[in-house]
Amino acid sequence: METSLYHYTSMDALTKILCTDSISFWVTHHQYLNDPTEYKWGEGKAKELFPDCDYSRNDFFILSLSKRKDFLPMWAMYSGNGTGVMLELENSSAYYLEKQCCMAECMYEFDEMALSLEQNCVMHLKASNDAFRQNLGILKMLYLPYQIKHPAYKYEEEVRFIMEKQEEDRLVFKEKNGVLIPCIQRNFDKKFIKSITLGPMLEAGKDRAIKSLKQFLSQNGYEHLLNEVYFSDVPYRG
């Protein structure tokens, strides 16, 4: 994988992500993602590979990231049509191990070789005498449907943090198009974010946008990002 991953979001969402004590993501339930065929697209193939897996255990939540940096379709789709920001995130196993989640690249086609390798890996883990490896094999089976996406979304090059709701988790809700979206909250160390890039539609008020963002960062304890604020190189008027 690349050394960085990217998260495109609105300016309003940014003010909720950059909390005073930590970075806070509201991680979306898999049934409420943009793709209406989400999960079902991959569930059938997963059941073929692992017919004994109990896929009724599906209370999983997704934090969507991308390998695409400063990419116009991502600005248009996920960042208020270019009026939001792109967060550059540290791509470190320490973060997803700490949060007990799976980090996986999405598969957009039924690549039989890749799926066969996944199947062999799971079988190898489950055959181990080590309890940790056995559990890892079970989780890899459960996570597989969340890794397979419709080919129409291939341009996103999505990388996902996949998290299962824990007993102590309390649902939080955000509104989207008149629908309340169930989420769980996950906090990360402030160093998780490496830089912030402002969207191309902010060009007209570029200086003001950068100034106010830096004021916000300074007030909330993100001084390490003050020299890591950039502006999109994408020419775009909406």
Side-chain angles (χ1 to χ4, degrees):
M1 285 190 179
E2 303 293 328
T3 57
S4 294
L5 296 170
Y6 304 94
H7 181 70
Y8 294 78
T9 193
S10 68
M11 194 67 73
D12 180 61
L14 178 70
T15 64
K16 299 175 176 65
I17 291 171
L18 301 185
C19 300
T20 303
D21 297 326
S22 63
I23 293 165
S24 179
F25 282 106
W26 285 25
V27 188
T28 306
H29 192 280
H30 75 274
Q31 292 179 339
Y32 292 84
L33 299 173
N34 286 345
D35 179 1
T37 67
E38 193 69 55
Y39 184 75
K40 293 181 180 179
W41 185 257
E43 184 185 26
K45 180 59 66 173
K47 285 182 175 179
E48 287 180 24
L49 295 176
F50 308 115
D52 298 329
C53 183
D54 179 12
Y55 284 105
S56 64
R57 177 182 166 186
N58 66 351
D59 205 5
F60 289 90
F61 292 73
I62 309 294
L63 175 60
S64 295
L65 311 175
S66 174
K67 295 193 293 181
R68 301 301 300 259
K69 179 180 180 180
D70 200 11
F71 187 48
L72 179 56
M74 300 296 284
W75 283 118
M77 181 73 78
Y78 299 111
S79 188
N81 196 30
T83 62
V85 296
M86 179 192 74
L87 304 178
E88 181 185 9
L89 305 176
E90 184 71 49
N91 184 1
S92 169
S93 60
Y95 287 104
Y96 63 87
L97 288 174
E98 176 190 352
K99 301 302 172 185
Q100 297 182 322
C101 65
C102 169
M103 187 171 77
E105 294 188 28
C106 287
M107 295 182 283
Y108 297 94
E109 295 169 326
F110 291 144
D111 186 326
E112 296 299 333
M113 180 175 293
L115 291 172
S116 178
L117 289 172
E118 189 78 12
Q119 186 181 39
N120 290 337
C121 178
V122 167
M123 296 308 175
H124 179 73
L125 290 168
K126 289 180 65 180
S128 170
N129 293 322
D130 180 73
F132 175 82
R133 292 172 65 84
Q134 291 174 357
N135 186 60
L136 182 59
I138 293 171
L139 290 177
K140 285 180 72 66
M141 288 192 299
L142 287 170
Y143 289 144
L144 184 58
Y146 307 96
Q147 295 175 239
I148 300 174
K149 287 199 67 175
H150 193 284
Y153 292 85
K154 187 175 182 179
Y155 71 92
E156 296 181 348
E157 294 188 29
E158 184 177 349
V159 178
R160 291 182 158 181
F161 276 22
I162 307 169
M163 310 174 187
E164 187 171 17
K165 183 179 180 293
Q166 303 301 308
E167 186 175 340
E168 65 272 16
D169 283 324
R170 179 176 177 271
L171 289 177
V172 292
F173 294 86
K174 60 184 177 182
E175 183 274 338
K176 183 176 182 181
N177 298 327
V179 177
L180 291 177
I181 309 298
C183 306
I184 56 174
Q185 190 171 351
R186 286 291 182 269
N187 297 328
F188 294 82
D189 183 271
K190 289 183 176 183
K191 298 293 184 182
F192 188 36
I193 294 182
K194 298 168 64 176
S195 72
I196 301 176
T197 299
L198 290 157
M201 281 291 285
L202 297 171
E203 175 69 41
K206 179 177 179 179
D207 292 339
R208 293 175 63 211
I210 291 177
K211 180 180 178 180
S212 62
L213 175 57
K214 288 188 174 183
Q215 287 175 326
F216 174 79
L217 293 173
S218 181
Q219 181 169 300
N220 288 278
Y222 290 87
E223 286 81 4
H224 69 285
L225 291 175
L226 292 177
N227 293 322
E228 301 297 336
V229 174
Y230 304 100
F231 202 85
S232 173
D233 291 326
V234 175
Y236 183 55
R237 290 181 178 174

